[in-house]
Amino acid sequence: MEDLTDVYNELIMEHSMNSYNKKNIENADYSEIGHNPNCGDEITLQIKMNKDIIEDMAFIGHGCAISQASTSIMIDTLKGKTVEQAEKIIKTFIQMIKREITDEEELKKLEDAIAFKNVSNMPARVKCALLAWHTIEDILLQFTN
């Protein structure tokens, strides 16, 4: 039987190499640049809203496998969710990476984003995994204000 870590690594590699979420959205409601000066990762996250539901989301940009895969998986995880649901998932993801939440039941709501759980063991990669998640936080702050 395959180790879960292997499954997670495969998922991360798959999303980093051929992300169908890497594209432009015509007439996006929100667009925000996320930049990690430490390693040069840069993304532009675009969101299309339908009232308080994230109807569509995409990104363009470049960076390491972790930042690209984290962005793509975040999009899959948050698309179709309300802003309130998204904010809870974002908070849980950030707490998982910072090792503030380890409860498996709590982490299940992250869906495929749980694949990044072991990034917390690699301090140099934490910012890469969090780039998109902090960028979406900034967008949602604009939405709620």
Side-chain angles (χ1 to χ4, degrees):
M1 194 173 130
E2 255 189 309
D3 183 313
L4 253 165
T5 306
D6 293 339
V7 173
Y8 290 161
N9 289 340
E10 284 173 27
L11 186 67
I12 290 169
M13 288 313 296
E14 183 186 316
H15 273 272
S16 74
M17 291 189 300
N18 11 312
S19 173
Y20 46 84
N21 291 316
K22 198 169 187 173
K23 61 185 184 211
N24 261 311
I25 294 180
E26 289 294 315
N27 305 317
D29 295 310
Y30 296 92
S31 181
E32 186 78 29
I33 295 173
H35 181 69
N36 181 351
N38 296 348
C39 61
D41 292 348
E42 187 171 296
I43 59 162
T44 300
L45 201 55
Q46 301 170 322
I47 296 187
K48 190 110 178 99
M49 298 296 294
N50 181 355
K51 298 186 176 84
D52 74 332
I53 294 170
I54 298 169
E55 188 174 289
D56 199 9
M57 213 195 294
F59 78 105
I60 51 172
H62 55 85
C64 68
I66 300 272
S67 76
Q68 299 293 287
S70 182
T71 305
S72 181
I73 290 172
M74 178 196 74
I75 289 170
D76 282 352
T77 306
L78 299 181
K79 207 185 292 185
K81 305 277 192 302
T82 64
V83 169
E84 190 180 335
Q85 290 168 323
E87 287 173 334
K88 285 180 184 160
I89 292 168
I90 294 162
K91 185 176 180 208
T92 302
F93 183 85
I94 292 169
Q95 289 176 321
M96 172 186 75
I97 297 291
K98 292 180 174 178
R99 293 190 182 157
E100 294 167 5
I101 294 180
T102 53
D103 177 48
E104 289 297 323
E105 277 308 302
E106 188 69 14
L107 296 178
K108 278 184 184 168
K109 73 170 111 175
L110 293 176
E111 299 166 22
D112 284 350
I114 197 172
F116 293 93
K117 192 166 108 173
N118 290 334
V119 168
S120 61
N121 301 327
M122 301 177 275
R125 310 311 281 176
V126 165
K127 284 188 168 138
C128 305
L130 289 176
L131 178 63
W133 298 81
H134 285 312
T135 306
I136 186 73
E137 269 187 324
D138 294 344
I139 290 174
L140 294 180
L141 277 173
Q142 294 173 42
F143 177 79
T144 52
N145 288 337

